[in-house]
Amino acid sequence: MNNPGNTPPPLPPVPPPLPKATLDGPGSPHDVPPLPGSFPLDPATLPDPIRAEIEAPDPEALDTSAAELKDGVNRCPKCGSSDVRLKIGTDVLVCQYCRHQWHGDRVEEAFGLGDGLDQLRGTNIASGARNIDAGTAALMSFKCTGCGAEVTINTESSMTARCHWCRHVFGVNEQVSNGAVPDAVLPFRISKDDAVARIRQFVDKRRLFALKAFKDQFTPENVVGVYMPYMIVDSNVSAAVSGKGEIQTREYTVGSGDKKKTYYDADVYQVDRQVDFTVDDLPLESSAQRGNMDIKVNTNNIINTILPFDTKNAVKWNASYLLGFSSEKRDLDVEKMMPRLEDQLLSIARSEVHSSVRRFNRGVRWEQEQLEVHGTRWVSMYLPVWLYSYHQPGRNGGMLHYIAVNGRTGETMGSVPVQQWKLLLAALTTGTIVEALVIALLVASA
């Protein structure tokens, strides 16, 4: 090429800028992460249910902590002693030194938990029901104000401890985030002697078919008082159900003898129902172990049969109520319990509309169900249960049987391992007796 002055060649022309609408490929500004705290999409462009969920206020936390008990010491208001425990048969605390008695504050009155159910919006969580932090240590240490010693409590197995030097009693009253400290406790009223008598009576009625090993090892005095972890839930709900209902119009028989058949005619109707309702103090197990209803390995469902508890009488959390009893720690958060709550609410909705469909004398088959939970309130609570357990050896680890006594009402239910051959013999004997009675009646009428 002839380039006499060694002059550089001219630069190529600058291309015009691309339209803004084309900047949407890989590496475009659309791929840049949004700034912290911002939302990458305009909520107004989203479907209504998603937008409502995004724009819903964050869950509110109702503070139920007892600031006066954070040092771990519950002192008698009269003499200052820390040796305080529940007086069985009542809901009062009694000082073991001066015998002074006093009643804890009812949690419903203290925090207004019984008010405004129809106004509930969003998810309202009491401070003792907040999410569990798996990294929170189970050990808690207190410095004894009496002698200066360090007192350690393992919240996995106990909520109280006594100083081994000066005998001060300490309790875990601070709402640590490991699920060990609830918002409220419903104290025991049924004594151990009463629970033993009820369990003995329950087993005596079933002793005839009971497994021999169980009868030989049965010692109801080994019953244990346990505070079980529950979530007590208030809800404001709307539900809609739809399906097919049938009203019988005719019944007639065709044929005779062995070929006789009965037919039913019915009119079929489309049935739609909608109901608004509130739920007050619905109890849900907040322990994954107790919520496991696998009847092949345990009889956890027994505990549900001793409901209800008078949760309206629950008092503000105070570890002194647990002296002499054991407790199980909550390990489920609100989010994990939502599906169980919605299932319970749908059952309640079906029950609410039942009275309006009685005219359909052949029943109603619900085919579609819709649930809208406007608001909920979650309170963590310990409920009292006397529990007797028996492990029946067998395949796959055997079966764990429970007999439970409601620590408030005395309601008793349980599972007793039985001799299968005795049940079979009884069934065959009963069948033989029934057959004999039928034959005798036929002979008498001939």
Side-chain angles (χ1 to χ4, degrees):
M1 174 182 289
N2 186 13
N3 189 4
N6 291 328
T7 58
L11 295 174
V14 178
L18 294 173
K20 185 176 182 181
T22 64
L23 300 177
D24 57 359
S28 70
H30 289 284
D31 288 343
V32 178
L35 294 174
S38 66
F39 192 75
L41 296 175
D42 181 5
T45 64
L46 299 175
D48 290 344
I50 299 177
R51 185 177 71 252
E53 183 176 348
I54 292 173
E55 295 179 343
D58 293 333
E60 300 178 11
L62 171 67
D63 187 7
T64 62
S65 60
E68 68 277 11
L69 299 176
K70 284 189 176 180
D71 62 353
V73 182
N74 178 31
R75 299 185 181 277
C76 170
K78 187 174 182 180
C79 71
S81 170
S82 64
D83 195 356
V84 177
R85 64 178 59 217
L86 171 68
K87 182 180 180 182
I88 293 293
T90 71
D91 292 346
V92 304
L93 294 171
V94 57
C95 174
Q96 302 297 295
Y97 183 75
C98 72
R99 312 310 297 175
H100 177 65
Q101 300 181 16
W102 68 99
H103 196 292
D105 295 333
R106 287 190 175 89
V107 68
E108 181 154 313
E109 299 168 359
F111 301 108
L113 299 181
D115 302 330
L117 298 185
D118 58 346
Q119 302 300 317
L120 282 175
R121 294 293 184 274
T123 305
N124 303 271
I125 302 176
S127 52
R130 290 175 297 190
N131 286 353
I132 296 170
D133 182 0
T136 303
L139 297 179
M140 293 193 66
S141 296
F142 298 90
K143 189 174 185 63
C144 180
T145 56
C147 65
E150 289 284 337
V151 179
T152 301
I153 300 177
N154 185 352
T155 59
E156 294 286 353
S157 57
S158 178
M159 298 300 288
T160 59
R162 187 185 291 270
C163 176
H164 51 280
W165 294 107
C166 69
R167 311 302 291 169
H168 251 329
V169 179
F170 288 85
V172 180
N173 293 304
E174 182 181 356
Q175 289 180 336
V176 291
S177 56
N178 66 354
V181 180
D183 301 290
V185 56
L186 186 62
F188 275 88
R189 276 195 176 175
I190 298 295
S191 67
K192 180 175 181 177
D193 290 342
D194 191 353
V196 168
R198 292 172 186 270
I199 293 173
R200 189 182 299 278
Q201 183 183 41
F202 180 87
V203 171
D204 285 345
K205 292 180 178 179
R206 295 155 179 82
R207 185 175 289 273
L208 177 62
F209 299 104
L211 199 68
K212 183 178 185 302
F214 173 79
K215 291 188 287 187
D216 294 341
Q217 300 172 24
F218 178 58
T219 50
E221 291 77 15
N222 291 341
V223 63
V224 178
V226 185
Y227 280 105
M228 296 290 189
Y230 278 78
M231 286 286 195
I232 307 302
V233 189
D234 298 333
S235 302
N236 178 22
V237 185
S238 294
V241 291
S242 63
K244 298 293 190 297
E246 296 185 2
I247 297 178
Q248 182 176 320
T249 57
R250 189 168 64 131
E251 176 183 345
Y252 56 96
T253 302
V254 176
S256 61
D258 294 339
K259 296 183 179 180
K260 183 170 60 176
K261 291 184 178 180
T262 302
Y263 293 89
Y264 302 89
D265 290 345
D267 291 337
V268 181
Y269 298 87
Q270 175 66 33
V271 182
D272 299 290
R273 294 291 186 270
Q274 197 277 335
V275 62
D276 300 321
F277 61 96
T278 59
V279 176
D280 189 10
D281 283 11
L282 175 67
L284 298 175
E285 298 98 338
S286 55
S287 164
Q289 180 183 359
R290 296 302 171 194
N292 176 16
M293 298 301 174
D294 186 355
I295 59 175
K296 296 179 181 178
V297 297
N298 63 57
T299 57
N300 281 339
N301 56 316
I302 293 299
I303 299 175
N304 286 328
T305 64
I306 62 173
L307 297 174
F309 287 87
D310 55 326
T311 52
K312 295 295 182 186
N313 291 317
V315 296
K316 290 174 61 177
W317 169 254
N318 188 321
S320 296
Y321 286 104
L322 270 66
L323 275 171
F325 302 99
S326 63
S327 61
E328 293 190 359
K329 193 172 68 170
R330 173 176 70 91
D331 59 5
L332 292 178
D333 292 332
V334 168
E335 183 178 359
K336 291 183 178 180
M337 299 181 67
M338 276 294 188
R340 290 172 55 197
L341 171 64
E342 292 174 354
D343 184 62
Q344 294 274 353
L345 293 177
L346 275 174
S347 296
I348 295 172
R350 289 190 290 267
S351 176
E352 288 287 309
V353 303
H354 177 71
S355 60
S356 69
V357 296
R358 289 177 179 168
R359 63 186 293 259
F360 300 99
N361 51 21
R362 285 185 55 83
V364 177
R365 182 179 67 254
W366 299 120
E367 298 173 337
Q368 291 183 329
E369 298 173 327
Q370 184 178 359
L371 183 72
E372 184 177 0
V373 181
H374 304 297
T376 57
R377 180 163 53 211
W378 301 73
V379 176
S380 179
M381 187 180 295
Y382 272 163
L383 301 181
V385 177
W386 288 104
L387 205 59
Y388 180 81
S389 62
Y390 173 78
H391 180 260
Q392 179 185 359
R395 290 178 299 178
N396 301 322
M399 168 72 78
L400 191 57
H401 296 266
Y402 293 108
I403 302 175
V405 180
N406 186 312
R408 298 287 292 186
T409 65
E411 182 71 25
T412 305
M413 185 53 67
S415 171
V416 175
V418 298
Q419 297 274 18
Q420 297 294 335
W421 66 268
K422 286 186 177 181
L423 284 179
L424 180 60
L425 180 61
L428 292 174
T429 303
T430 303
T432 302
I433 293 173
V434 170
E435 285 180 1
L437 290 174
V438 171
I439 292 172
L441 290 173
L442 290 174
V443 170
S445 61

